[in-house]
Amino acid sequence: MSRSYGQYCGLARTLDVVGDRWNLLIVRELLIAPARYRELLDGLPGVATNLLTDRLRDLETAGVIERRLAEESNAIVYALTPWGAELREPIEALIRWSTPLMMRGPGGDRFRAEWLVVALRALLAGRPHVRRSSTIGIAVDGQLLQVRATRSGIEVSLHDGRALDAVVRADASIILGLAAGGLILDEHVEVEGDEAAVRAVLNQD
Amino acid sequence: MSRSYGQYCGLARTLDVVGDRWNLLIVRELLIAPARYRELLDGLPGVATNLLTDRLRDLETAGVIERRLAEESNAIVYALTPWGAELREPIEALIRWSTPLMMRGPGGDRFRAEWLVVALRALLAGRPHVRRSSTIGIAVDGQLLQVRATRSGIEVSLHDGRALDAVVRADASIILGLAAGGLILDEHVEVEGDEAAVRAVLNQD
DNA sequence: CTGCATCCATTTTGATACTG
DNA sequence: CAGTATCAAAATGGATGCAG
């Protein structure tokens, strides 16, 4: 754990807990789903193994994450505590703030479709609720995500096999632009199925 | 600027810009008000002068802050750009997340009443709006803040001399507990003036 | 294999002294 | 006041080792 700021300020105390390098990205991975050590390594390209171990211990000590023994196997699984899961809100706000940075496209950066699960939820939350439920697929980077919009809100996840009203295929930056509301559904986007469902889910009616 | 995470993910790109040590605390100071170099040093106890200079340059290059020449004097003043000011939302979310950490009290940490201007706004935002406008003073650590609640929302600032319906005097941790809704206005709090106004502003009717 | 621990070169930080 | 310069200590990234 790095040095404390020594300030009686909420922001400083939060950063004392999650401000160290990699910490919030670990939380991002666990917001997608609980994960094993190896899955975290894969989802955090560039992290050194000793650092990941250190950070997991720091976050556990702080009460942000917990180790669980997966049923059946005796493997360790890392998961967010209830308090840790509340980091979703600040993380979503940080993701919304990044929109101008993301519009520049990926450049040479690595990309994982799972990251979009967190980002799409962040960008679509707080949009007006739809009148009629729809589920659309997002085909990106060879993977398929699903976004289900109902009267009570939005759910984003990896595709679980359910029926889809439509499938949108586009680059990640285009998907993000659509979700952020800065792009209009037109070119660079391939839609199969019910285009009205896509417009409804993205609130582009 | 520290090494990029190299991930095409909104959180990672945000942290590439504001994730370095001290960066978000600098933004916090500028959310209170534009400030000169010396004021920033005072508001960031513990920062080294070379680091502050580096960070200010990084944030300026990234477009988060800008240097202005103060009118009348030819002094440099640092201020948030419009995009930088949008960091208020993620910072407020991080402050709300810190509530359990702040309830432990200041311990040996340093405290500045100005920090409460950001924190109180974060904690009171999103509360139901009051029916009748009131302005109350918060006397803490020898300084006086003011919180004005109107039908259109909440404003928090240092006291500007306006008439106050009441003045609350308490320790910072008590003030935060009241604003977070986890404490009830009773002991440890000294109220002069219209106690109903205090309850109205804190939504403790 | 997984889940670390150890070692080491490189960066970053913090503290202080100094300058225009 | 607004920074620079210097330097020791700490953190990081990368490679490798190793037990269950």
Side-chain angles (χ1 to χ4, degrees):
Chain A
M1 191 144 47
S2 88
R3 170 173 309 222
S4 164
Y5 286 111
Q7 298 184 4
Y8 188 61
C9 156
L11 180 61
R13 288 223 169 152
T14 291
L15 294 175
D16 284 342
V17 173
V18 295
D20 277 359
R21 198 162 162 76
W22 297 108
N23 272 345
L24 279 181
L25 296 186
I26 291 170
V27 174
R28 175 198 68 194
E29 290 298 310
L30 298 181
L31 280 173
I32 300 168
R36 301 179 53 168
Y37 184 87
R38 153 71 32 198
E39 299 175 297
L40 290 173
L41 269 185
D42 294 341
L44 300 168
V47 74
T49 59
N50 54 350
L51 263 194
L52 178 57
T53 300
D54 285 353
R55 293 297 187 259
L56 290 171
R57 263 197 256 287
D58 291 345
L59 290 171
E60 188 187 5
T61 302
V64 175
I65 70 174
E66 60 188 13
R67 300 155 164 259
R68 294 184 193 154
L69 264 110
E71 324 253 331
E72 303 289 332
S73 71
N74 45 7
I76 295 167
V77 174
Y78 297 92
L80 295 168
T81 63
W83 183 47
E86 287 174 27
L87 281 167
R88 181 184 290 279
E89 307 211 355
I91 284 175
E92 287 189 347
L94 289 165
I95 288 174
R96 284 189 291 269
W97 188 78
S98 75
T99 304
L101 298 169
M102 298 300 280
M103 292 303 96
R104 306 211 275 258
D109 289 351
R110 265 162 292 196
F111 173 72
R112 309 194 106 223
E114 294 84 3
W115 298 338
L116 277 185
V117 173
V118 182
L120 290 179
R121 177 163 165 179
L123 294 170
L124 294 173
R127 295 283 204 87
H129 293 178
V130 297
R131 288 174 289 275
R132 211 167 50 77
S133 298
S134 315
T135 306
I136 69 170
I138 309 271
V140 62
D141 197 46
Q143 290 208 59
L144 187 58
L145 312 180
Q146 71 188 12
V147 182
R148 175 162 178 75
T150 69
R151 285 145 307 259
S152 51
I154 292 268
E155 298 158 32
V156 186
S157 60
L158 296 175
H159 182 51
D160 59 8
R162 88 168 61 198
L164 298 173
D165 296 309
V167 174
V168 175
R169 188 177 310 273
D171 289 339
S173 61
I174 303 293
I175 300 291
L176 288 169
L178 290 170
L183 291 181
I184 302 297
L185 192 68
D186 58 352
E187 47 189 290
H188 306 303
V189 185
E190 199 181 307
V191 177
E192 301 166 46
D194 181 3
E195 188 171 312
V198 177
R199 294 187 186 279
V201 171
L202 299 178
N203 284 119
Q204 299 205 337
D205 292 316
Chain B
M1 192 146 44
S2 87
R3 169 176 308 220
S4 164
Y5 285 111
Q7 298 185 4
Y8 187 61
C9 156
L11 180 61
R13 288 224 169 151
T14 291
L15 293 175
D16 283 342
V17 173
V18 294
D20 278 358
R21 198 162 162 76
W22 296 108
N23 272 345
L24 279 181
L25 295 186
I26 291 170
V27 174
R28 174 198 68 193
E29 289 299 310
L30 298 180
L31 281 173
I32 300 168
R36 300 179 55 169
Y37 185 87
R38 153 70 34 193
E39 298 175 298
L40 290 173
L41 270 185
D42 293 342
L44 299 167
V47 74
T49 59
N50 54 352
L51 261 196
L52 178 57
T53 300
D54 285 352
R55 294 297 187 259
L56 289 171
R57 263 197 258 284
D58 291 345
L59 290 171
E60 188 186 5
T61 302
V64 175
I65 69 174
E66 61 188 12
R67 299 157 166 258
R68 294 183 192 154
L69 265 110
E71 325 254 329
E72 303 288 331
S73 72
N74 46 6
I76 293 169
V77 173
Y78 296 92
L80 295 169
T81 63
W83 183 47
E86 287 175 27
L87 281 167
R88 181 183 290 279
E89 307 211 357
I91 285 175
E92 286 189 347
L94 289 165
I95 288 174
R96 284 189 290 270
W97 188 79
S98 74
T99 304
L101 298 169
M102 298 300 280
M103 291 305 96
R104 304 211 276 259
D109 289 352
R110 264 162 294 197
F111 173 71
R112 308 195 105 223
E114 293 84 1
W115 298 338
L116 277 185
V117 173
V118 182
L120 289 179
R121 178 164 166 178
L123 294 170
L124 294 173
R127 295 284 203 88
H129 292 179
V130 298
R131 290 174 288 275
R132 212 167 50 78
S133 297
S134 316
T135 305
I136 67 170
I138 310 272
V140 61
D141 197 47
Q143 290 208 59
L144 187 58
L145 311 180
Q146 71 188 12
V147 182
R148 176 162 178 76
T150 69
R151 285 146 308 262
S152 51
I154 291 269
E155 298 157 32
V156 186
S157 60
L158 295 176
H159 182 51
D160 60 9
R162 87 167 61 199
L164 298 172
D165 296 308
V167 174
V168 175
R169 188 177 311 274
D171 289 339
S173 60
I174 302 294
I175 300 291
L176 289 169
L178 290 170
L183 291 182
I184 302 297
L185 191 68
D186 57 353
E187 45 189 291
H188 305 302
V189 185
E190 199 182 305
V191 177
E192 301 166 47
D194 181 2
E195 188 171 312
V198 177
R199 294 187 186 279
V201 170
L202 299 178
N203 284 119
Q204 299 204 336
D205 292 317

